[in-house]
């Protein structure tokens, strides 16, 4: 399977994940995760050449679309991070993500992202800034862009696996937690690997998109688990 096929499959899964949550959102449920999935869908769509080049052309052809991807991903990880910390019943993870230290990490990441973007020469649209990879500031911009997602993911790996092995939880919830924990672990591993002087080749696409796929599937299973739980409670109340 080539890289383009992987990107399109993940885009379809993200869009489907947002779509299936729409009825709940209309009834006031799951707005945080829905918002995160919509932003993630847009970010994944902008990773595709045809969409990126068209959108960036409308924004002046100076790769503002890439900066938009970064900001959307930061928002996605903040929203999912806070929500999953609650789902995993981890007050510690929530403090690390939404507390003073976590907010400081986010502010520093955003500031550094903007600085390195403005310090780079980026005339002419280039998906993933591939045409500007020789610039040191672009390399620093890319490295900083992986910092916040890896930080949030690292806060959630242990709580996620702990929830996956909690025998008191519903089976669907445990499977969902396991998928999410694996997705977060891949985000952390990818961030570490990109700091090493090694060539990832095709894994440079496979790892981040696999992490997205596992995360979205996990979020969908958590949603399904809640649906099943609510129906079970309604049936139990009727029988009572």
């Amino acid at each position: 399977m080539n890289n383009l096929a992987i990107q399109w499959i993940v885009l379809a899964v993200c869009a489907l994940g947002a779509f299936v949550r729409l009825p709940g959102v209309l009834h006031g449920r799951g707005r945080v995760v829905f918002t995160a999935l919509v932003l993630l869908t847009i970010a994944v769509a902008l990773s595709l050449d045809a969409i990126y080049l068209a959108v960036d052309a409308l924004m002046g052809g100076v790769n503002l679309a890439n900066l938009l991807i970064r900001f959307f991903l930061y928002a996605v990880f903040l929203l999912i991070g806070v929500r999953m910390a609650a789902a995993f019943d981890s007050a510690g993870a929530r403090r690390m993500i939404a507390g003073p230290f976590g907010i400081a990490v986010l502010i520093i990441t955003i500031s550094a992202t903007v600085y390195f973007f403005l310090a780079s020469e980026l005339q002419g649209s280039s998906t993933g800034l591939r045409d500007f990879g020789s610039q040191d500031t672009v390399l620093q911009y890319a490295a900083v862009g992986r910092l916040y997602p890896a930080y949030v993911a690292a806060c959630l790996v242990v709580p996620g696996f702990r929830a996956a092995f909690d025998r008191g939880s519903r089976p669907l919830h445990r499977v969902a937690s396991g998928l999410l924990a694996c997705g977060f672990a891949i985000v952390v591993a990818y961030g570490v690997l990109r700091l090493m002087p090694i060539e990832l080749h095709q894994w440079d696409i496979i790892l981040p998109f696999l992490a997205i796929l596992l995360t979205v599937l996990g979020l969908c299973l958590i949603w399904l688990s809640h649906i099943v739980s609510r129906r079970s409670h309604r049936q139990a109340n009727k029988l009572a």
Side-chain angles (χ1 to χ4, degrees):
M1 185 179 296
N2 60 36
N3 292 346
L4 184 60
I6 293 171
Q7 290 171 277
W8 276 107
I9 289 171
V10 173
L11 175 59
V13 171
C14 290
L16 181 60
F19 179 76
V20 297
R21 281 181 170 267
L22 186 57
V25 171
L26 297 177
H27 289 88
R29 298 190 301 269
R31 291 176 179 174
V32 171
V33 174
F34 173 77
T35 301
L37 286 171
V38 170
L39 294 176
L40 185 58
T41 301
I42 297 171
V44 172
L46 287 173
S47 73
L48 294 160
D49 279 340
I51 298 175
Y52 181 90
L53 295 176
V55 172
D56 195 61
L58 295 175
M59 301 176 73
V62 292
N63 295 290
L64 284 173
N66 191 278
L67 190 62
L68 195 65
I69 293 173
R70 301 293 179 187
F71 289 160
F72 279 5
L73 287 177
Y74 298 160
V76 166
F77 274 88
L78 176 61
L79 295 172
I80 290 180
V82 171
R83 185 64 190 87
M84 290 305 100
F88 297 151
D89 194 24
S90 177
R94 182 180 176 85
R95 281 195 303 271
M96 291 298 292
I97 295 168
F101 185 79
I103 297 302
V105 173
L106 177 59
I107 292 173
I108 291 170
T109 302
I110 291 173
S111 300
T113 298
V114 173
Y115 169 78
F116 285 119
F117 181 85
L118 295 176
S120 302
E121 294 291 335
L122 301 174
Q123 288 294 332
S125 298
S126 174
T127 311
L129 304 185
R130 288 191 294 265
D131 294 341
F132 309 104
S134 60
Q135 295 183 41
D136 185 61
T137 51
V138 172
L139 296 176
Q140 296 300 323
Y141 168 81
V144 167
R146 293 186 290 270
L147 172 64
Y148 186 71
Y151 170 77
V152 173
C155 293
L156 294 169
V157 170
V158 173
F161 279 119
R162 189 165 54 230
F165 289 100
D166 180 6
R167 295 186 178 181
S169 297
R170 297 184 298 273
L172 271 178
H173 186 82
R174 292 176 61 189
V175 173
S177 298
L179 290 173
L180 287 162
C182 288
F184 297 143
I186 291 173
V187 172
V188 176
Y190 179 68
V192 172
L193 288 171
R194 286 303 305 267
L195 294 174
M196 297 180 179
I198 58 175
E199 289 291 334
L200 294 180
H201 302 292
Q202 184 135 349
W203 291 101
D204 200 28
I205 289 290
I206 294 174
L207 288 177
F209 280 91
L210 177 59
I212 293 172
L213 183 61
L214 292 175
T215 300
V216 174
L217 289 176
L219 292 173
C220 288
L221 283 183
I222 283 184
W223 166 80
L224 182 60
S225 177
H226 289 163
I227 294 293
V228 171
S229 178
R230 282 197 296 269
R231 288 181 178 176
S232 297
H233 287 156
R234 283 199 297 266
Q235 290 176 354
N237 291 334
K238 288 180 181 178
L239 292 175

